[in-house]
Amino acid sequence: MKEASVADQQDFLGRFDAMSSKATATVIAHYSSSFTLASKLLSPKIRRDIEALYAMVRVADEVVDGAAAAAGCAPDAVAEILDNYERQVLLSLSVPFHTDPVIHAFGNTARKCGFEQAHIVAFFDSMRRDLSQTSYDPTQLDEYIYGSAEVIGLMCLKIFLQDSTASPQDRATMEHGARRLGAAFQKVNFLRDLAEDREGLGRSYLPVFTEEMRDEIVTDIREDLDAARLSIPLLPFGARTGVRAATDLYGCLVDNLESASLEDLKNGRIRVPSMKKASLATKAMWKEVFQK
């Protein structure tokens, strides 16, 4: 059998890389219309890396949120699946090829952007809590939010800054904004998924739910979003519009969550209409145009 040339080998890998990127784009398009819209406002290079990160996170989330159980896996088997997935994801930080397209694409992004192993471990620690923990005290909830959302924001920032330099002060501001934005997204999802989490998954991230508690969480989320907005002008141009659109979209969700009745929150998922999403995306683009 004729040995493949270096050029042939590079072509083989290039095709596999391209296929893996398309696979991760399919994942985000299938699971989230909001993040799909926001990601389309990112530069192509940044968008591919964000899709790779999102896809890895989504697969882990689906393992713990019921896909594995629905396939007939017992709780111990689900835990083993998550543990094995974490091992493979961590291995991708040093091994440049994986047969799983999502892990392969994620590994390419992680190595290129310098993801920290500790952030990935923290993420899987939070996912592991979802397999057995059903309620949270304030300290446990902060730990959960850090692993499930804040470290994702920090990895996104690594993607945004991969070709940029920033002063230590600006980087610290952006890191703070990335963590606060991730926390805001997670808290919004706690409110949006209140019924599904409690009735479908048997989880209660929030204690007994009242109007006062809803109002406190809404105020907290708005403070997170305000802190995140302060860092947006510091981001590279290729990231700013997409991040601004996602931030504004979640701000709109907060408004809807605040005006919804407790009965609506307990019985269904609050959404933003497609036309409103498109309007927010357009406004985000115009803001960037006028800021230049």
Side-chain angles (χ1 to χ4, degrees):
M1 180 177 178
K2 183 180 178 181
E3 184 176 348
S5 67
V6 173
D8 287 337
Q9 290 173 352
Q10 290 175 341
D11 190 43
F12 294 152
L13 181 58
R15 289 201 300 270
F16 196 88
D17 286 344
M19 178 277 294
S20 297
S21 290
K22 287 183 180 179
T24 61
T26 299
V27 173
I28 193 171
H30 181 77
Y31 279 103
S32 178
S33 59
S34 297
F35 282 120
T36 297
L37 176 62
S39 70
K40 289 184 183 300
L41 302 177
L42 300 169
S43 68
K45 182 178 180 179
I46 290 176
R47 180 170 66 247
R48 286 192 295 271
D49 288 325
I50 290 294
E51 289 168 346
L53 172 58
Y54 178 94
M56 184 281 287
V57 169
R58 173 52 63 179
V59 170
D61 203 41
E62 290 304 303
V63 169
V64 302
D65 277 355
C73 298
D76 287 348
V78 175
E80 185 177 349
I81 289 168
L82 185 67
D83 289 346
N84 182 62
Y85 189 60
E86 180 183 15
R87 285 192 292 270
Q88 297 302 313
V89 168
L90 290 173
L91 191 63
S92 75
L93 297 180
S94 57
V95 176
F97 183 84
H98 201 286
T99 54
D100 181 321
V102 168
I103 296 178
H104 181 79
F106 173 81
N108 284 344
T109 291
R111 294 189 305 276
K112 178 177 60 173
C113 299
F115 287 178
E116 296 179 27
Q117 179 171 317
H119 290 161
I120 298 170
V121 170
F123 166 71
F124 277 96
D125 283 347
S126 285
M127 294 300 96
R128 200 166 284 109
R129 284 178 183 251
D130 280 336
L131 295 178
S132 58
Q133 190 163 352
T134 57
S135 62
Y136 292 79
D137 64 31
T139 298
Q140 292 171 334
L141 189 62
D142 286 344
E143 293 170 350
Y144 180 86
I145 291 172
Y146 173 76
S148 66
E150 292 182 30
V151 297
I152 306 304
L154 291 173
M155 285 188 273
C156 286
L157 184 61
K158 289 272 192 178
I159 291 172
F160 300 153
L161 298 180
Q162 61 184 284
D163 294 324
S164 303
T165 57
S167 69
Q169 182 178 355
D170 284 350
R171 185 175 290 272
T173 299
M174 288 185 283
E175 287 176 352
H176 180 70
R179 290 184 61 174
R180 295 292 292 271
L181 187 58
F185 287 178
Q186 183 63 280
K187 294 168 192 173
V188 166
N189 288 337
F190 286 156
L191 293 179
R192 293 181 77 197
D193 298 335
L194 197 66
E196 181 181 342
D197 286 338
R198 292 190 177 188
E199 297 171 16
L201 299 173
R203 300 176 195 152
S204 180
Y205 298 104
L206 306 174
V208 178
F209 199 67
T210 63
E211 273 195 23
E212 290 80 7
M213 178 179 299
R214 187 268 308 277
D215 293 343
E216 287 179 10
I217 296 170
V218 163
T219 298
D220 189 37
I221 295 170
R222 287 204 170 108
E223 290 174 355
D224 285 334
L225 293 176
D226 287 343
R229 287 190 179 98
L230 293 176
S231 68
I232 292 176
L234 299 176
L235 296 173
F237 180 73
R240 285 202 301 266
T241 303
V243 174
R244 189 183 298 280
T247 304
D248 291 347
L249 171 59
Y250 271 75
C252 183
L253 275 169
V254 172
D255 293 339
N256 292 349
L257 289 165
E258 184 177 36
S259 61
S261 68
L262 292 188
E263 196 65 26
D264 287 341
L265 288 176
K266 293 175 182 177
N267 292 330
R269 205 166 197 258
I270 305 301
R271 300 181 182 276
V272 174
S274 297
M275 290 297 293
K276 180 63 175 178
K277 290 179 183 179
S279 173
L280 290 170
T282 301
K283 289 179 180 178
M285 288 188 287
W286 275 105
K287 285 179 182 178
E288 291 308 321
V289 168
F290 287 120
Q291 281 182 357
K292 286 190 68 179

